[in-house]
């Protein structure tokens, strides 16, 4: 995977909002949560992921560069909330009432489960397969599994095995 160079000013803006939201949470909850580590190795169309066991937030560098302030305002609190909820409540549904409360009440952010960023630049190539009733777009991973005869896929509507030819 080729790495994307993130401008230092953008990395600093990420850390600034992370520290601000973490301080808000620590004051509100009367706790002293440690600062999570940030890495920029998230791939695909996901903007970010929270790794609760590693106390780490993984961010998509391409989406960060393309969406800068909107990304920082939405994704950093979203992923931080996942970490905080796990430490505060334990294992609960990922976007449940505890997460929503953490986002809105504690962090003062809008609780949205998904981002609305344009993803064409990070969307992976797909491969067209067919069944009796429709066309399907499969990922490179699924396409390769079919080529290696490790797997096959069935249409949920008609129950027919997907094939590369019409």
């Amino acid at each position: 995977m080729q790495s994307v160079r993130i401008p230092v000013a953008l990395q600093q803006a990420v850390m600034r909002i992370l520290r601000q939201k973490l301080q808000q949470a620590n004051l509100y909850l009367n706790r002293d949560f440690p600062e999570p580590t940030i890495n920029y190795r998230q791939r695909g169309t996901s903007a970010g992921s929270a790794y609760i066991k590693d106390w780490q937030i993984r961010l998509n560098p391409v989406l960060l560069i393309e969406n800068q302030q909107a990304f920082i305002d939405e994704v950093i609190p979203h992923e931080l909330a996942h970490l905080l909820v796990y430490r505060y409540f334990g294992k609960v549904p990922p976007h449940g009432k505890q997460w929503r409360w953490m986002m809105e009440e504690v962090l003062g952010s809008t609780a949205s489960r998904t981002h609305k960023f344009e993803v064409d630049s990070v969307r992976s190539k797909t491969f067209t397969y067919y069944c009796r009733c429709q066309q399907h777009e499969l990922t490179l991973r699924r396409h390769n599994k079919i080529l290696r005869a490790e797997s096959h896929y069935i249409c949920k509507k008609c129950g027919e095995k997907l094939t590369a030819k019409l």
Side-chain angles (χ1 to χ4, degrees):
M1 178 177 100
Q2 188 172 359
S3 64
V4 177
R5 293 184 63 88
I6 299 150
V8 172
L10 199 49
Q11 291 181 46
Q12 290 171 334
V14 165
M15 293 310 294
R16 192 168 32 257
I17 196 78
L18 174 71
R19 289 176 178 139
Q20 175 195 342
K21 295 295 182 182
L22 183 60
Q23 182 180 22
Q24 264 180 255
N26 282 333
L27 288 171
Y28 189 100
L29 301 169
N30 197 25
R31 299 283 178 99
D32 191 23
F33 295 107
E35 185 177 292
T37 57
I38 298 282
N39 84 41
Y40 298 93
R41 290 191 294 265
Q42 182 69 49
R43 297 168 61 183
T45 59
S46 293
S49 298
Y51 289 80
I52 52 179
K53 302 253 187 279
D54 299 328
W55 198 249
Q56 179 184 95
I57 295 172
R58 185 175 290 176
L59 302 175
N60 186 316
V62 176
L63 292 178
L64 171 60
I65 289 168
E66 289 177 354
N67 299 283
Q68 301 195 12
Q69 197 58 52
F71 185 102
I72 290 168
D73 293 342
E74 294 173 34
V75 178
I76 304 304
H78 179 114
E79 301 307 337
L80 178 61
H82 285 301
L83 297 177
L84 297 172
V85 163
Y86 183 76
R87 287 270 174 104
Y88 195 73
F89 294 104
K91 190 169 171 52
V92 296
H95 296 106
K97 62 183 179 183
Q98 297 90 346
W99 177 82
R100 186 169 296 283
W101 174 80
M102 188 69 71
M103 283 291 290
E104 294 173 348
E105 187 69 28
V106 177
L107 300 179
S109 297
T110 303
S112 179
R113 293 172 50 125
T114 59
H115 67 78
K116 292 177 177 53
F117 305 133
E118 182 58 53
V119 295
D120 286 344
S121 63
V122 291
R123 182 173 282 132
S124 42
K125 181 173 174 20
T126 59
F127 297 83
T128 305
Y129 279 74
Y130 303 91
C131 67
R132 163 178 343 129
C133 70
Q134 64 184 346
Q135 172 178 312
H136 302 265
E137 297 299 321
L138 298 185
T139 62
L140 175 62
R141 177 174 287 167
R142 288 185 175 191
H143 172 69
N144 285 336
K145 283 184 172 190
I146 291 170
L147 293 179
R148 292 190 303 262
E150 294 174 359
S151 193
H152 66 271
Y153 298 93
I154 306 291
C155 175
K156 290 182 180 178
K157 280 187 182 175
C158 69
E160 185 177 289
K161 182 178 174 180
L162 303 186
T163 61
K165 301 217 181 344
L166 191 63

